Amino acid sequence: MSSTTDKYPSNFIRTIIEKDIAEGKNGGAVLTRFPPEPNGYLHIGHAKAICLSFGMAEEFGGATNLRFDDTNPLKESVEFINAIKRDIEWLGFQWKEERYASDYFPQLYEFAEQLIREGKAYVDSLSAEDIREYRGTLTEPGKDSPYRDRSVDENLDLFRRMKAGEFADGEHILRLKIDMASPNINMRDPAIYRIRHVEHHQTGNEWCIYPMYDYTHCVSDSLEGITHSLCDLSFEDHRPLYDWVLDELAMNCHPQQIEFSRLNLQYTVMSKRKLRQLVEEGMVDGWDDPRLPTISGLRRRGYTPAAIRDFCRRIGVTKSDNNVELALLQSVIREHLEDSAPRVFGVLNPVKLVIENFPEGEKVALTVANHPKDESMGTRELNFTREVFIDRDDFREEANRKYKRLVLGDEVRLRYGFVIKAEEVIRDDSGEIAEIRCSYDPDTLGKNPEGRKVRGVIHWVSAEEGLPAEIRVYEPLFTVDFPDADDRDYHELINSESLTVHQGFVEPSLQKAGLDDRFQFEREGYFCIDSKDSTEGSLVFNRVVGLRDTWAKIEKAGGA
RNA sequence: UGGGGUGUCGCCAAGUUGGUAAGGCAACGGGUUUUGAUCCCGUCAUUGCGCAGGUUCGAGUCCUGCCACCCCAGCCA
């Protein structure tokens, strides 16, 4: 995992850490944490944070804790906990310790009593609506709650009774006593404990009051001895509160919160809320739908952990808003698969081709390379037969010379096999081409014909030996590059053609394709077995990404 | 009209104490090629680093003033 390609280029967070180490801060130690709330699946944006937090720690000989930020039992579940752990491990990272914010509930409670005793927290009995009213607005200061000056004894009594379950949800709340006139709204007496009579996935029914993020996170970081607490920019305004709590509690470990900008990627959405909607409304096939930017989706789509890590490294780490092009992600996975994926043949839109002068029942065994540039990947055998499938896009009844595929009356090479010539087209009742009758030149195996220049080379699959397979090709889930920035409801922005299912054929060797294998279907793209739906008897492939397609560009420009 | 941030090539992004604008992706030329892939070569910010002034022999880097965009008013995280 710790190859040089995983090293980040210069960024401001590394600069800070290097400086801290040079100055002997924290005794030169680096301990980070990744703190997901188990209320959804991890996505590529989380991968950025994971690579950063784990990456920085590893680079400086430190470690990273995985800590589930499980302070809101209403939205969380063990299903998400397990999915998150699996995704992080799959990405290639190992946490030092698995912790839960709920591990600290007892200590958090004691600290809360301490704050009350010191007059730094109070129980408010205003309704949620009133609290909102009293908070003021962005431009006007808030005003003190009438309960703000309750005595320490009363606060303590109330808080203990909150814990004991004497009150209903929403009846009381514990707030920090900071400054209702602060220009930073987060400092206007933030709530730190609310009553919730619900079972918690970790602590069961032990508690009916639950601490809130701002209070929990900094204390948890401190208790664990975190040195650098990396989070996204939305928490920048919360840093004064983070620091306030640790200072007032006089914690002996005061981690440094550092914020960076979150990832925005073209043609997708990154908010857990929207992802959850897509899943729950059945617009996709679960959290691991290959069109989703979730780690699980990317895994099922065929992305590799190394490619995702490389992507995270290449997008960099800054505080500026960023809009990363999908092309970068695609470029990275292509680059990784180019070297590692063995080549095979697969035809997505099959049309049968019959070579009339090739003897029926005969086979010519061809030894073909698994990789054009890497002999160590070996060879495999393919049988050339009288009937083969080629892709419909690789045949035209007429075309100009720029079209380097099969044209009626002209020649083309079937890759690794013979040069053939299209002689006649057979149509079905609907007028569609049902079959292409051809002839072949037996003297063209491994050599070019004399005096003629063949248009090009196309791939094929033996009709006699090929395996039928379902091949799924994906396009972006959304029709606009940044759905979040669009005023329209996201339902209107869904790309109805994000999934195309082909009933095609693949070469026999793919029968033994494994779940972790990636292949390049020559001239088509990179593919993998669909981990959810593929079976031995009915193969299902996902297209990870297409090959770079300059022909499509030429075609689009009106070149042919 | 409050507070917190950010503005360097179409996108991402480097740019330590001012010294004369990295790299990647994309794009565009060309070469190799039994994958229109890969690979290789070349072009791609020349009084230019949001704008306007200023300091300086010299500023993306310092100062002043503007402008634009993002985040914040959950008993969510």
Side-chain angles (χ1 to χ4, degrees), chain A residues 109 112-113 115-117 119-127 131 145-163 167 170-177 189-195 209:
Chain A
Y109 178 82
E113 283 209 354
L115 288 168
I116 291 172
R117 270 184 256 110
K120 295 167 183 168
Y122 64 99
V123 173
D124 198 352
S125 306
L126 246 28
S127 67
I131 284 182
S145 162
Y147 301 101
R148 198 173 197 260
D149 293 318
R150 284 212 255 233
S151 68
V152 166
D153 287 345
E154 187 182 4
N155 280 323
L156 223 39
D157 176 60
L158 251 16
F159 187 51
R160 286 172 181 166
R161 288 163 62 195
M162 279 169 64
K163 175 175 181 272
F167 305 113
E171 242 182 284
H172 303 288
I173 195 162
L174 186 70
R175 303 178 72 175
L176 257 18
K177 191 185 285 188
D189 290 9
I192 60 169
Y193 262 99
R194 75 292 219 191
I195 301 170
I209 57 171

CSV table of all heavy atoms in Angstrom, one decimal, chain A residues 109 112-113 115-117 119-127 131 145-163 167 170-177 189-195 209, chain B residues 75:
chain,number,residue,atom,x,y,z
A,109,TYR,N,-20.4,12.3,29.9
A,109,TYR,CA,-21.4,12.7,30.9
A,109,TYR,C,-20.7,13.3,32.1
A,109,TYR,O,-21.2,14.4,32.6
A,109,TYR,CB,-22.2,11.4,31.3
A,109,TYR,CG,-23.2,11.8,32.4
A,109,TYR,CD1,-24.4,12.4,32.1
A,109,TYR,CD2,-22.9,11.7,33.8
A,109,TYR,CE1,-25.3,12.8,33.0
A,109,TYR,CE2,-23.8,12.1,34.7
A,109,TYR,CZ,-25.0,12.6,34.4
A,109,TYR,OH,-25.9,13.0,35.4
A,112,ALA,N,-19.7,16.7,31.3
A,112,ALA,CA,-20.8,17.6,31.2
A,112,ALA,C,-21.2,18.1,32.6
A,112,ALA,O,-21.5,19.3,32.8
A,112,ALA,CB,-22.0,16.9,30.6
A,113,GLU,N,-21.2,17.2,33.6
A,113,GLU,CA,-21.5,17.6,35.0
A,113,GLU,C,-20.4,18.6,35.5
A,113,GLU,O,-20.8,19.6,36.1
A,113,GLU,CB,-21.5,16.4,35.9
A,113,GLU,CG,-22.8,15.6,35.8
A,113,GLU,CD,-23.2,14.9,37.1
A,113,GLU,OE1,-22.4,14.9,38.0
A,113,GLU,OE2,-24.3,14.3,37.1
A,115,LEU,N,-18.8,20.7,33.6
A,115,LEU,CA,-19.1,22.0,33.0
A,115,LEU,C,-20.2,22.7,33.7
A,115,LEU,O,-20.2,23.9,33.9
A,115,LEU,CB,-19.4,21.8,31.5
A,115,LEU,CG,-18.2,21.5,30.6
A,115,LEU,CD1,-18.7,21.0,29.3
A,115,LEU,CD2,-17.3,22.7,30.5
A,116,ILE,N,-21.2,21.9,34.2
A,116,ILE,CA,-22.3,22.5,34.9
A,116,ILE,C,-21.9,23.1,36.2
A,116,ILE,O,-22.2,24.2,36.6
A,116,ILE,CB,-23.4,21.4,35.1
A,116,ILE,CG1,-24.1,21.0,33.8
A,116,ILE,CG2,-24.5,22.0,36.1
A,116,ILE,CD1,-25.1,19.9,33.9
A,117,ARG,N,-21.1,22.3,36.9
A,117,ARG,CA,-20.6,22.7,38.2
A,117,ARG,C,-19.8,24.0,38.1
A,117,ARG,O,-19.8,24.8,39.0
A,117,ARG,CB,-19.7,21.6,38.8
A,117,ARG,CG,-20.5,20.6,39.7
A,117,ARG,CD,-19.6,19.6,40.4
A,117,ARG,NE,-19.7,18.3,39.7
A,117,ARG,CZ,-18.8,17.8,39.0
A,117,ARG,NH1,-17.6,18.4,38.9
A,117,ARG,NH2,-18.9,16.6,38.4
A,119,GLY,N,-20.3,26.3,36.1
A,119,GLY,CA,-21.2,27.3,35.5
A,119,GLY,C,-21.0,27.6,34.0
A,119,GLY,O,-21.3,28.6,33.5
A,120,LYS,N,-20.5,26.5,33.3
A,120,LYS,CA,-20.2,26.7,31.9
A,120,LYS,C,-21.3,26.0,31.0
A,120,LYS,O,-21.2,25.9,29.8
A,120,LYS,CB,-18.8,26.1,31.6
A,120,LYS,CG,-17.7,26.9,32.2
A,120,LYS,CD,-16.4,26.2,32.2
A,120,LYS,CE,-15.3,27.1,32.9
A,120,LYS,NZ,-14.1,26.3,33.1
A,121,ALA,N,-22.3,25.4,31.7
A,121,ALA,CA,-23.3,24.7,30.9
A,121,ALA,C,-24.6,24.8,31.8
A,121,ALA,O,-24.6,24.9,33.0
A,121,ALA,CB,-23.0,23.3,30.7
A,122,TYR,N,-25.7,24.8,31.1
A,122,TYR,CA,-27.0,24.9,31.8
A,122,TYR,C,-28.1,24.2,31.0
A,122,TYR,O,-28.0,23.9,29.8
A,122,TYR,CB,-27.4,26.4,31.9
A,122,TYR,CG,-27.7,27.1,30.6
A,122,TYR,CD1,-29.0,27.3,30.2
A,122,TYR,CD2,-26.6,27.6,29.9
A,122,TYR,CE1,-29.2,28.0,29.0
A,122,TYR,CE2,-26.9,28.3,28.7
A,122,TYR,CZ,-28.2,28.5,28.2
A,122,TYR,OH,-28.4,29.1,27.1
A,123,VAL,N,-29.1,23.8,31.8
A,123,VAL,CA,-30.2,23.1,31.2
A,123,VAL,C,-31.2,24.2,30.7
A,123,VAL,O,-31.6,25.0,31.5
A,123,VAL,CB,-30.9,22.2,32.2
A,123,VAL,CG1,-32.2,21.6,31.6
A,123,VAL,CG2,-29.9,21.0,32.6
A,124,ASP,N,-31.6,24.1,29.5
A,124,ASP,CA,-32.6,25.0,28.9
A,124,ASP,C,-33.9,24.2,28.8
A,124,ASP,O,-33.9,23.1,28.4
A,124,ASP,CB,-32.1,25.5,27.6
A,124,ASP,CG,-32.8,26.8,27.2
A,124,ASP,OD1,-33.8,27.2,27.9
A,124,ASP,OD2,-32.4,27.4,26.2
A,125,SER,N,-35.0,24.9,29.0
A,125,SER,CA,-36.3,24.3,28.9
A,125,SER,C,-37.1,24.9,27.9
A,125,SER,O,-38.4,24.7,27.8
A,125,SER,CB,-37.0,24.3,30.3
A,125,SER,OG,-36.1,23.7,31.2
A,126,LEU,N,-36.5,25.7,27.0
A,126,LEU,CA,-37.2,26.4,25.9
A,126,LEU,C,-37.6,25.3,24.9
A,126,LEU,O,-36.9,24.3,24.8
A,126,LEU,CB,-36.3,27.4,25.3
A,126,LEU,CG,-36.6,28.9,25.3
A,126,LEU,CD1,-37.4,29.3,26.5
A,126,LEU,CD2,-35.3,29.7,25.3
A,127,SER,N,-38.6,25.5,24.1
A,127,SER,CA,-38.9,24.6,23.1
A,127,SER,C,-37.9,24.8,21.9
A,127,SER,O,-37.2,25.8,21.9
A,127,SER,CB,-40.3,24.9,22.5
A,127,SER,OG,-40.3,26.2,21.9
A,131,ILE,N,-35.9,28.2,21.0
A,131,ILE,CA,-34.4,28.2,20.9
A,131,ILE,C,-34.0,28.8,19.6
A,131,ILE,O,-33.1,29.7,19.5
A,131,ILE,CB,-33.8,26.8,21.1
A,131,ILE,CG1,-34.0,26.5,22.6
A,131,ILE,CG2,-32.4,26.8,20.7
A,131,ILE,CD1,-33.4,25.2,23.0
A,145,SER,N,-31.5,32.9,27.0
A,145,SER,CA,-32.7,32.2,27.3
A,145,SER,C,-33.1,32.5,28.8
A,145,SER,O,-32.2,32.8,29.6
A,145,SER,CB,-32.4,30.7,27.3
A,145,SER,OG,-33.3,29.9,28.0
A,146,PRO,N,-34.3,32.5,29.1
A,146,PRO,CA,-34.8,32.9,30.5
A,146,PRO,C,-34.2,31.8,31.5
A,146,PRO,O,-34.2,32.1,32.7
A,146,PRO,CB,-36.3,32.9,30.4
A,146,PRO,CG,-36.6,32.2,29.1
A,146,PRO,CD,-35.5,32.4,28.2
A,147,TYR,N,-33.8,30.7,31.0
A,147,TYR,CA,-33.3,29.6,31.9
A,147,TYR,C,-31.8,29.7,32.0
A,147,TYR,O,-31.2,28.8,32.7
A,147,TYR,CB,-33.7,28.2,31.3
A,147,TYR,CG,-35.2,28.1,31.2
A,147,TYR,CD1,-35.8,28.2,30.0
A,147,TYR,CD2,-36.0,27.8,32.3
A,147,TYR,CE1,-37.2,28.1,29.8
A,147,TYR,CE2,-37.4,27.7,32.2
A,147,TYR,CZ,-38.0,27.8,31.0
A,147,TYR,OH,-39.3,27.7,30.8
A,148,ARG,N,-31.2,30.7,31.4
A,148,ARG,CA,-29.7,30.7,31.3
A,148,ARG,C,-29.1,30.9,32.7
A,148,ARG,O,-27.9,30.4,32.9
A,148,ARG,CB,-29.3,31.9,30.4
A,148,ARG,CG,-27.9,31.7,29.9
A,148,ARG,CD,-27.6,32.8,28.9
A,148,ARG,NE,-26.4,32.5,28.1
A,148,ARG,CZ,-25.2,33.1,28.4
A,148,ARG,NH1,-25.0,33.9,29.4
A,148,ARG,NH2,-24.1,32.8,27.6
A,149,ASP,N,-29.8,31.5,33.6
A,149,ASP,CA,-29.2,31.7,34.9
A,149,ASP,C,-29.6,30.8,36.0
A,149,ASP,O,-29.5,31.1,37.2
A,149,ASP,CB,-29.4,33.2,35.3
A,149,ASP,CG,-28.7,34.1,34.4
A,149,ASP,OD1,-27.5,33.8,34.0
A,149,ASP,OD2,-29.3,35.1,33.9
A,150,ARG,N,-30.1,29.6,35.6
A,150,ARG,CA,-30.4,28.7,36.7
A,150,ARG,C,-29.2,28.4,37.5
A,150,ARG,O,-28.1,28.5,37.1
A,150,ARG,CB,-30.9,27.4,36.0
A,150,ARG,CG,-32.3,27.5,35.5
A,150,ARG,CD,-33.1,26.2,35.6
A,150,ARG,NE,-33.2,25.5,34.3
A,150,ARG,CZ,-34.3,25.1,33.7
A,150,ARG,NH1,-35.5,25.3,34.4
A,150,ARG,NH2,-34.3,24.5,32.6
A,151,SER,N,-29.5,28.0,38.8
A,151,SER,CA,-28.3,27.7,39.7
A,151,SER,C,-27.6,26.4,39.3
A,151,SER,O,-28.2,25.6,38.6
A,151,SER,CB,-28.8,27.6,41.1
A,151,SER,OG,-29.6,26.4,41.2
A,152,VAL,N,-26.4,26.3,39.7
A,152,VAL,CA,-25.7,25.1,39.5
A,152,VAL,C,-26.4,23.8,40.0
A,152,VAL,O,-26.6,22.8,39.3
A,152,VAL,CB,-24.3,25.1,40.1
A,152,VAL,CG1,-23.6,23.7,40.1
A,152,VAL,CG2,-23.4,26.1,39.4
A,153,ASP,N,-27.0,24.0,41.2
A,153,ASP,CA,-27.7,22.9,41.8
A,153,ASP,C,-28.9,22.5,41.0
A,153,ASP,O,-29.2,21.3,40.7
A,153,ASP,CB,-28.2,23.2,43.2
A,153,ASP,CG,-27.0,23.2,44.2
A,153,ASP,OD1,-25.9,22.7,43.8
A,153,ASP,OD2,-27.1,23.8,45.3
A,154,GLU,N,-29.7,23.5,40.5
A,154,GLU,CA,-30.8,23.2,39.7
A,154,GLU,C,-30.4,22.5,38.4
A,154,GLU,O,-31.0,21.5,38.0
A,154,GLU,CB,-31.6,24.4,39.5
A,154,GLU,CG,-33.0,24.1,38.8
A,154,GLU,CD,-33.8,25.4,38.4
A,154,GLU,OE1,-33.2,26.5,38.7
A,154,GLU,OE2,-34.9,25.3,37.9
A,155,ASN,N,-29.4,23.0,37.8
A,155,ASN,CA,-28.9,22.5,36.5
A,155,ASN,C,-28.5,21.0,36.7
A,155,ASN,O,-28.8,20.2,35.9
A,155,ASN,CB,-27.7,23.3,36.0
A,155,ASN,CG,-28.2,24.6,35.3
A,155,ASN,OD1,-29.2,24.6,34.6
A,155,ASN,ND2,-27.5,25.7,35.5
A,156,LEU,N,-27.7,20.8,37.8
A,156,LEU,CA,-27.2,19.5,38.1
A,156,LEU,C,-28.4,18.5,38.3
A,156,LEU,O,-28.4,17.4,37.7
A,156,LEU,CB,-26.3,19.5,39.3
A,156,LEU,CG,-25.0,18.7,39.3
A,156,LEU,CD1,-24.3,18.8,38.0
A,156,LEU,CD2,-24.1,19.3,40.4
A,157,ASP,N,-29.4,19.0,39.0
A,157,ASP,CA,-30.5,18.1,39.3
A,157,ASP,C,-31.3,17.8,38.1
A,157,ASP,O,-31.6,16.7,37.8
A,157,ASP,CB,-31.4,18.9,40.3
A,157,ASP,CG,-32.7,18.1,40.6
A,157,ASP,OD1,-32.6,17.0,41.1
A,157,ASP,OD2,-33.8,18.7,40.3
A,158,LEU,N,-31.5,18.8,37.3
A,158,LEU,CA,-32.3,18.6,36.0
A,158,LEU,C,-31.5,17.7,35.1
A,158,LEU,O,-32.1,16.8,34.5
A,158,LEU,CB,-32.5,20.0,35.4
A,158,LEU,CG,-33.9,20.7,35.3
A,158,LEU,CD1,-34.9,20.1,36.3
A,158,LEU,CD2,-33.7,22.2,35.5
A,159,PHE,N,-30.2,17.9,35.0
A,159,PHE,CA,-29.4,17.1,34.1
A,159,PHE,C,-29.4,15.6,34.5
A,159,PHE,O,-29.6,14.7,33.7
A,159,PHE,CB,-28.0,17.7,34.0
A,159,PHE,CG,-27.2,17.0,32.9
A,159,PHE,CD1,-27.6,16.8,31.6
A,159,PHE,CD2,-25.9,16.5,33.2
A,159,PHE,CE1,-26.8,16.2,30.6
A,159,PHE,CE2,-25.1,15.9,32.3
A,159,PHE,CZ,-25.6,15.7,31.0
A,160,ARG,N,-29.3,15.4,35.8
A,160,ARG,CA,-29.4,14.0,36.3
A,160,ARG,C,-30.7,13.4,36.1
A,160,ARG,O,-30.8,12.2,35.7
A,160,ARG,CB,-29.0,14.0,37.8
A,160,ARG,CG,-27.5,14.3,38.0
A,160,ARG,CD,-27.2,14.5,39.5
A,160,ARG,NE,-25.7,14.7,39.6
A,160,ARG,CZ,-25.1,15.2,40.7
A,160,ARG,NH1,-25.8,15.5,41.8
A,160,ARG,NH2,-23.8,15.4,40.7
A,161,ARG,N,-31.7,14.2,36.2
A,161,ARG,CA,-33.1,13.6,35.9
A,161,ARG,C,-33.3,13.4,34.4
A,161,ARG,O,-34.0,12.5,34.0
A,161,ARG,CB,-34.1,14.6,36.5
A,161,ARG,CG,-34.1,14.5,38.1
A,161,ARG,CD,-34.9,15.7,38.7
A,161,ARG,NE,-36.3,15.7,38.3
A,161,ARG,CZ,-37.0,16.8,38.5
A,161,ARG,NH1,-36.6,17.9,39.1
A,161,ARG,NH2,-38.3,16.8,38.1
A,162,MET,N,-32.6,14.2,33.6
A,162,MET,CA,-32.7,14.0,32.2
A,162,MET,C,-32.1,12.6,31.9
A,162,MET,O,-32.7,11.8,31.2
A,162,MET,CB,-31.9,15.1,31.4
A,162,MET,CG,-32.6,16.4,31.2
A,162,MET,SD,-31.4,17.7,30.6
A,162,MET,CE,-31.0,17.0,29.0
A,163,LYS,N,-31.0,12.4,32.5
A,163,LYS,CA,-30.3,11.1,32.3
A,163,LYS,C,-31.1,10.0,32.9
A,163,LYS,O,-31.1,8.9,32.3
A,163,LYS,CB,-28.9,11.2,33.1
A,163,LYS,CG,-28.2,9.8,33.0
A,163,LYS,CD,-26.8,10.0,33.7
A,163,LYS,CE,-26.0,8.7,33.7
A,163,LYS,NZ,-26.2,7.9,34.9
A,167,PHE,N,-37.8,12.9,31.9
A,167,PHE,CA,-38.4,13.8,30.9
A,167,PHE,C,-38.6,13.2,29.6
A,167,PHE,O,-37.9,12.3,29.1
A,167,PHE,CB,-37.6,15.1,30.8
A,167,PHE,CG,-37.3,15.7,32.2
A,167,PHE,CD1,-36.0,15.7,32.6
A,167,PHE,CD2,-38.3,16.3,32.9
A,167,PHE,CE1,-35.7,16.3,33.9
A,167,PHE,CE2,-38.0,16.9,34.1
A,167,PHE,CZ,-36.7,16.9,34.6
A,170,GLY,N,-37.2,16.3,24.1
A,170,GLY,CA,-37.4,17.7,23.8
A,170,GLY,C,-37.8,18.6,24.9
A,170,GLY,O,-37.8,19.8,24.8
A,171,GLU,N,-38.0,18.0,26.1
A,171,GLU,CA,-38.5,18.8,27.2
A,171,GLU,C,-37.3,19.7,27.7
A,171,GLU,O,-37.6,20.9,28.1
A,171,GLU,CB,-38.9,17.9,28.3
A,171,GLU,CG,-40.4,18.1,28.7
A,171,GLU,CD,-40.8,17.2,29.9
A,171,GLU,OE1,-41.0,16.0,29.7
A,171,GLU,OE2,-40.9,17.7,31.0
A,172,HIS,N,-36.2,19.2,27.8
A,172,HIS,CA,-35.0,19.9,28.2
A,172,HIS,C,-33.8,19.7,27.4
A,172,HIS,O,-33.8,18.7,26.6
A,172,HIS,CB,-34.6,19.6,29.7
A,172,HIS,CG,-35.7,19.8,30.7
A,172,HIS,ND1,-36.2,21.0,31.1
A,172,HIS,CD2,-36.5,18.8,31.3
A,172,HIS,CE1,-37.1,20.8,32.0
A,172,HIS,NE2,-37.3,19.5,32.1
A,173,ILE,N,-32.8,20.5,27.5
A,173,ILE,CA,-31.6,20.3,26.7
A,173,ILE,C,-30.5,20.9,27.4
A,173,ILE,O,-30.6,21.9,28.2
A,173,ILE,CB,-31.8,21.0,25.3
A,173,ILE,CG1,-30.7,20.5,24.3
A,173,ILE,CG2,-31.8,22.5,25.4
A,173,ILE,CD1,-31.1,20.7,22.9
A,174,LEU,N,-29.3,20.3,27.3
A,174,LEU,CA,-28.1,20.9,28.0
A,174,LEU,C,-27.4,21.8,27.0
A,174,LEU,O,-27.1,21.3,25.9
A,174,LEU,CB,-27.2,19.8,28.5
A,174,LEU,CG,-26.0,20.4,29.4
A,174,LEU,CD1,-26.6,21.0,30.7
A,174,LEU,CD2,-25.0,19.3,29.7
A,175,ARG,N,-27.1,23.0,27.4
A,175,ARG,CA,-26.4,23.9,26.5
A,175,ARG,C,-25.1,24.4,27.2
A,175,ARG,O,-25.1,24.5,28.4
A,175,ARG,CB,-27.3,25.1,26.1
A,175,ARG,CG,-28.6,24.8,25.5
A,175,ARG,CD,-29.4,26.0,25.2
A,175,ARG,NE,-28.9,26.8,24.1
A,175,ARG,CZ,-29.5,27.9,23.7
A,175,ARG,NH1,-30.7,28.3,24.2
A,175,ARG,NH2,-29.0,28.6,22.7
A,176,LEU,N,-24.2,24.8,26.3
A,176,LEU,CA,-23.0,25.4,26.8
A,176,LEU,C,-23.3,26.9,27.0
A,176,LEU,O,-24.1,27.5,26.3
A,176,LEU,CB,-21.9,25.3,25.7
A,176,LEU,CG,-20.7,24.3,25.9
A,176,LEU,CD1,-21.1,23.2,26.9
A,176,LEU,CD2,-20.4,23.7,24.6
A,177,LYS,N,-22.7,27.5,28.0
A,177,LYS,CA,-23.0,28.9,28.3
A,177,LYS,C,-21.8,29.7,27.7
A,177,LYS,O,-20.7,29.8,28.3
A,177,LYS,CB,-23.1,29.2,29.8
A,177,LYS,CG,-23.6,30.6,30.1
A,177,LYS,CD,-23.6,30.8,31.6
A,177,LYS,CE,-24.8,30.1,32.3
A,177,LYS,NZ,-24.9,30.5,33.7
A,189,ASP,N,-24.4,29.6,22.6
A,189,ASP,CA,-24.8,28.6,23.6
A,189,ASP,C,-25.3,27.3,22.9
A,189,ASP,O,-26.5,26.9,22.9
A,189,ASP,CB,-26.0,29.1,24.4
A,189,ASP,CG,-25.5,30.2,25.4
A,189,ASP,OD1,-24.3,30.6,25.3
A,189,ASP,OD2,-26.3,30.6,26.3
A,190,PRO,N,-24.4,26.6,22.2
A,190,PRO,CA,-24.7,25.4,21.5
A,190,PRO,C,-25.3,24.3,22.4
A,190,PRO,O,-24.8,24.2,23.5
A,190,PRO,CB,-23.4,25.0,20.8
A,190,PRO,CG,-22.4,25.6,21.7
A,190,PRO,CD,-22.9,26.9,22.2
A,191,ALA,N,-26.2,23.6,21.8
A,191,ALA,CA,-26.8,22.4,22.6
A,191,ALA,C,-25.7,21.3,22.6
A,191,ALA,O,-25.1,21.1,21.5
A,191,ALA,CB,-28.1,22.0,21.9
A,192,ILE,N,-25.6,20.6,23.7
A,192,ILE,CA,-24.6,19.5,23.7
A,192,ILE,C,-25.2,18.2,24.1
A,192,ILE,O,-24.6,17.1,24.0
A,192,ILE,CB,-23.4,19.8,24.6
A,192,ILE,CG1,-23.8,20.1,26.0
A,192,ILE,CG2,-22.6,21.0,24.0
A,192,ILE,CD1,-22.6,20.1,27.0
A,193,TYR,N,-26.4,18.2,24.7
A,193,TYR,CA,-27.1,17.0,25.1
A,193,TYR,C,-28.6,17.1,24.8
A,193,TYR,O,-29.2,18.1,25.2
A,193,TYR,CB,-26.9,16.7,26.6
A,193,TYR,CG,-25.8,15.7,26.9
A,193,TYR,CD1,-24.5,16.1,27.3
A,193,TYR,CD2,-26.0,14.3,26.8
A,193,TYR,CE1,-23.5,15.2,27.5
A,193,TYR,CE2,-25.0,13.4,27.0
A,193,TYR,CZ,-23.7,13.9,27.4
A,193,TYR,OH,-22.7,13.0,27.7
A,194,ARG,N,-29.2,16.1,24.2
A,194,ARG,CA,-30.6,16.1,24.0
A,194,ARG,C,-31.2,14.8,24.5
A,194,ARG,O,-30.4,13.8,24.6
A,194,ARG,CB,-31.0,16.5,22.6
A,194,ARG,CG,-30.8,15.4,21.5
A,194,ARG,CD,-29.4,15.0,21.2
A,194,ARG,NE,-29.2,14.8,19.7
A,194,ARG,CZ,-28.2,14.3,19.2
A,194,ARG,NH1,-27.2,13.9,20.0
A,194,ARG,NH2,-28.1,14.1,17.9
A,195,ILE,N,-32.4,14.9,24.8
A,195,ILE,CA,-33.1,13.6,25.3
A,195,ILE,C,-33.6,12.9,24.1
A,195,ILE,O,-34.3,13.4,23.2
A,195,ILE,CB,-34.3,14.0,26.2
A,195,ILE,CG1,-33.8,14.8,27.4
A,195,ILE,CG2,-35.0,12.8,26.7
A,195,ILE,CD1,-34.9,15.4,28.2
A,209,ILE,N,-30.2,10.1,27.0
A,209,ILE,CA,-29.7,11.4,26.6
A,209,ILE,C,-28.4,11.1,25.8
A,209,ILE,O,-27.6,10.2,26.1
A,209,ILE,CB,-29.3,12.3,27.8
A,209,ILE,CG1,-28.3,11.7,28.7
A,209,ILE,CG2,-30.6,12.7,28.6
A,209,ILE,CD1,-27.7,12.6,29.8
B,75,C,P,-30.6,23.2,17.4
B,75,C,OP1,-31.9,23.9,17.4
B,75,C,OP2,-29.3,23.8,17.6
B,75,C,O5',-30.7,22.0,18.5
B,75,C,C5',-29.8,20.9,18.5
B,75,C,C4',-30.5,19.7,19.0
B,75,C,O4',-31.4,20.1,20.1
B,75,C,C3',-31.4,19.0,18.0
B,75,C,O3',-30.8,17.8,17.8
B,75,C,C2',-32.8,18.8,18.7
B,75,C,O2',-33.1,17.4,18.8
B,75,C,C1',-32.5,19.3,20.1
B,75,C,N1,-33.6,20.1,20.7
B,75,C,C2,-34.5,19.3,21.5
B,75,C,O2,-34.4,18.1,21.5
B,75,C,N3,-35.4,19.9,22.2
B,75,C,C4,-35.5,21.3,22.2
B,75,C,N4,-36.5,21.8,22.9
B,75,C,C5,-34.6,22.0,21.4
B,75,C,C6,-33.7,21.4,20.7
